[in-house]
Amino acid sequence: MKHPSEEKSMEYLYGELSSPERKELETHLEDCSVCRHQLDRLSKVQTLLNDWTLEESPAKHRIVNGWPSGLKWAAVSLVLMSTAFATGRFSTPRIDKETLQAEVTKSVQQKIETEMRAKLQSENERLIRELRFELKNELAASVQEAAGQASAAAVSRTQEQLDKFGGALATLRKEDKQAILTTLQEIQNQHLKDVGMLRRELETVAYTTDESFRQAKQQLVQLASYNETNN
Amino acid sequence: MRIFSGLFAMTDEQAMWRVQMHDDNQAFAHLLSRWEEPIKRLCTRMLADSHKAEDLTQEAFARVYSHRQNYHHGGKFSTFLWRVAVNLCLDEIRRIKRRGELSVQITTEESGDSSFTETLPGNEPPPDEKVIREEQAEQVRRAVQDLPEHYRSVVILRHYENLKFREIADVLQLPEGTVKSRMFEALTLLNHALAPQKKNSLRQVRKVSPKEALVL
């Protein structure tokens, strides 16, 4: 095998080579002191880099340590109980030992129980608080939404009514106008008819008057001629 | 209960989807609690300044939230987040360099460190081993700080945050081969800087090319 490339060396140092590739490289290292020396130095640098550690922030620590203390107790109790079981199982039963075991188990159990209970309680309280807060927010949001919807609906309803009213008013006015127009027309017609009648009557009157004038004139003439004969 | 909730917890991608679609604050809080520490570590190591690192971490999350629509669901959320954080760090380093703040900051840190070691003996004489370890850590910190940024980001992501080379390539948007060669060159430079006889000449690192360093 040729000398490994820089890339291959890096994959090797950071464990990203497949196992056949790694084996091949390791076989090469057995034979090639130059490569072995180089990788050795770089791997020492890797180890040195681990000296620079950072402290985690204290807040995180508290959260991280929250459960393990419970788990620690669980582990302790497990060890104690298993040793207790083992000693009980493989030794001749003696009363004081048994009672001791029972007591130890009991006290550990109690401790775990109280600790777990406290943890659960605080966890529950936290959850309830969160839930309450969330529900309150949601409720507020939905109320607001409903109010918004209702007011929007009311506005659109009012608008609709107003539109309707406006339409009705317009049609009414149109009808009125039409009625007035027809009435006026009728009045005018009547007026024309009346005028015609009046004229006809006047003509009749004129005619009859003319006739009576002529008769009177004739009578006057007769009267005059009668008088002349008498004289 | 926490164990169970851990088992059934949503993935980062699911949480991010909720943030994108519903502006879900709780999903964002989940992402924050999961990623705040790693991002803070990255920023602290990039800048060697825990206060600035804290600011930048907050800014990184603020940016992820405000650019939430830019996240595409094909990729991992962590890649998106690392990229935002690395870019913020690089911007900040550029800004510091422009202001010439870097030298000032290093000297103040040095004085801070020495006063720390001076006050310790008053309380309780620390064991020699501890002192040596602290000195070593300080030396490593300096050596990493002195690496050019494009090496430093690769070292931090691969060595300290344990990202695979493939992921780092995605974060930095570089070919995977380039990332590996940068890692190789960075380790070579560090080897040179941390070699016992060169202990006091860390500042020379920049002037030596990786190839030369390897020969040394």
Side-chain angles (χ1 to χ4, degrees):
Chain A
M1 183 197 170
K2 289 188 296 179
H3 299 299
S5 64
E6 293 176 355
E7 283 114 77
K8 275 269 174 307
S9 314
M10 285 302 103
E11 285 177 285
Y12 175 68
L13 284 182
Y14 282 97
E16 287 192 28
L17 278 185
S18 65
S19 83
E21 280 179 310
R22 200 187 61 235
K23 269 178 201 145
E24 195 184 0
L25 200 148
E26 278 166 354
T27 332
H28 172 78
L29 289 183
E30 277 169 23
D31 301 333
C32 176
S33 64
V34 178
C35 286
R36 195 169 57 234
H37 186 58
Q38 189 193 53
L39 276 178
D40 207 35
R41 273 193 299 176
L42 295 184
S43 135
K44 272 185 192 132
V45 174
Q46 271 189 311
T47 320
L48 280 174
L49 281 177
N50 292 335
D51 285 345
W52 183 17
T53 53
L54 296 179
E55 281 176 26
E56 278 198 21
S57 63
K60 267 275 133 114
H61 255 291
R62 213 174 43 238
I63 294 165
V64 169
N65 285 340
W67 271 94
S69 72
L71 290 177
K72 224 159 40 199
W73 277 111
V76 166
S77 74
L78 198 72
V79 169
L80 275 175
M81 283 197 281
S82 56
T83 45
F85 177 76
T87 44
R89 182 80 176 73
F90 298 112
S91 65
T92 47
R94 247 189 277 161
I95 292 169
D96 56 338
K97 205 172 190 178
E98 266 184 3
T99 48
L100 195 70
Q101 282 162 9
E103 261 174 31
V104 166
T105 319
K106 205 170 149 194
S107 72
V108 168
Q109 266 174 349
Q110 267 172 357
K111 203 145 203 176
I112 293 168
E113 214 173 279
T114 48
E115 187 141 282
M116 283 295 190
R117 198 170 287 160
K119 278 269 177 304
L120 276 175
Q121 181 122 20
S122 69
E123 186 77 1
N124 268 344
E125 272 167 13
R126 193 180 61 77
L127 277 174
I128 286 168
R129 238 180 296 126
E130 273 177 13
L131 258 177
R132 196 176 290 162
F133 180 66
E134 218 172 291
L135 278 176
K136 208 194 270 176
N137 276 354
E138 258 171 47
L139 193 67
S142 58
V143 163
Q144 208 165 3
E145 204 182 328
Q149 277 175 358
S151 73
V155 164
S156 73
R157 195 67 176 274
T158 315
Q159 190 65 41
E160 209 175 295
Q161 298 279 18
L162 268 175
D163 284 349
K164 223 182 255 175
F165 182 65
L169 209 65
T171 48
L172 267 178
R173 200 177 281 168
K174 209 168 149 193
E175 273 168 18
D176 273 356
K177 221 186 243 173
Q178 193 67 40
I180 290 168
L181 217 65
T182 46
T183 322
L184 276 176
Q185 198 85 40
E186 269 169 24
I187 290 171
Q188 199 172 12
N189 286 348
Q190 190 66 41
H191 185 66
L192 281 174
K193 221 194 280 172
D194 285 354
V195 168
M197 238 152 79
L198 202 64
R199 184 188 277 165
R200 266 200 305 279
E201 271 167 9
L202 267 176
E203 270 169 4
T204 332
V205 169
Y207 180 76
T208 44
T209 322
D210 197 38
E211 193 71 23
S212 46
F213 263 139
R214 223 179 292 147
Q215 278 176 7
K217 199 175 170 185
Q218 218 170 351
Q219 279 171 356
L220 274 175
V221 169
Q222 278 174 359
L223 195 65
S225 64
Y226 179 75
N227 276 345
E228 265 176 349
T229 54
N230 277 351
N231 286 332
Chain B
M1 198 179 282
R2 193 178 288 272
I3 297 165
F4 286 120
S5 69
L7 275 177
F8 297 112
M10 52 189 159
T11 64
D12 294 333
E13 285 72 28
Q14 284 167 336
M16 191 58 196
W17 184 81
R18 291 194 64 83
V19 173
Q20 255 185 337
M21 294 296 149
H22 307 294
D23 294 343
D24 187 337
N25 289 341
Q26 229 160 348
F28 194 71
H30 165 83
L31 290 173
L32 191 71
S33 71
R34 163 91 182 71
W35 285 101
E36 194 182 6
E37 279 302 314
I39 295 298
K40 205 187 287 173
R41 284 200 303 265
L42 168 84
C43 296
T44 309
R45 287 203 159 99
M46 282 300 284
L47 297 164
D49 182 335
S50 56
H51 293 292
K52 262 196 191 119
E54 210 142 305
D55 292 346
L56 277 189
T57 308
Q58 281 181 13
E59 206 178 325
F61 280 99
R63 196 163 285 196
V64 163
Y65 191 80
S66 61
H67 290 54
R68 58 191 179 282
Q69 303 306 345
N70 293 358
Y71 167 68
H72 299 297
H73 281 275
K76 276 171 80 173
F77 167 75
S78 56
T79 307
F80 177 64
L81 178 61
W82 286 119
R83 189 183 301 143
V84 169
V86 168
N87 286 338
L88 275 175
C89 286
L90 293 178
D91 286 348
E92 180 64 23
I93 289 168
R94 237 167 271 146
R95 210 171 304 139
I96 291 169
K97 272 188 182 166
R98 223 179 296 133
R99 275 191 251 132
E101 219 179 76
L102 198 62
S103 54
V104 179
Q105 179 219 322
I106 283 174
T107 50
T108 52
E109 274 208 9
E110 275 171 359
S111 66
D113 284 345
S114 65
S115 71
F116 174 66
T117 43
E118 273 163 20
T119 50
L120 261 182
N123 301 332
E124 182 192 332
D128 287 348
E129 207 180 302
K130 199 183 169 192
V131 174
I132 291 170
R133 222 183 303 133
E134 271 168 14
E135 268 176 19
Q136 260 173 1
E138 175 58 18
Q139 211 182 325
V140 172
R141 191 185 71 76
R142 290 268 208 94
V144 176
Q145 285 312 301
D146 284 344
L147 284 175
E149 295 85 57
H150 59 282
Y151 291 143
R152 204 187 313 156
S153 48
V154 172
V155 169
I156 292 169
L157 290 174
R158 175 61 263 201
H159 191 90
Y160 292 107
E161 297 306 329
N162 208 18
L163 266 69
K164 296 265 181 285
F165 286 117
R166 177 69 253 156
E167 287 174 273
I168 300 174
D170 289 341
V171 169
L172 302 178
Q173 292 170 307
L174 290 170
E176 199 177 333
T178 310
V179 174
K180 287 175 197 161
S181 347
R182 281 192 186 174
M183 189 70 200
F184 180 86
E185 284 155 19
L187 285 185
T188 310
L189 285 173
L190 287 170
N191 174 48
H192 176 63
L194 295 169
Q197 68 272 25
K198 306 280 178 188
K199 205 181 269 183
N200 298 320
S201 56
L202 292 175
R203 305 281 160 204
Q204 291 177 358
V205 173
R206 282 169 205 269
K207 290 159 200 149
V208 185
S209 81
K211 302 278 173 199
E212 285 168 325
L214 195 59
V215 176
L216 287 163

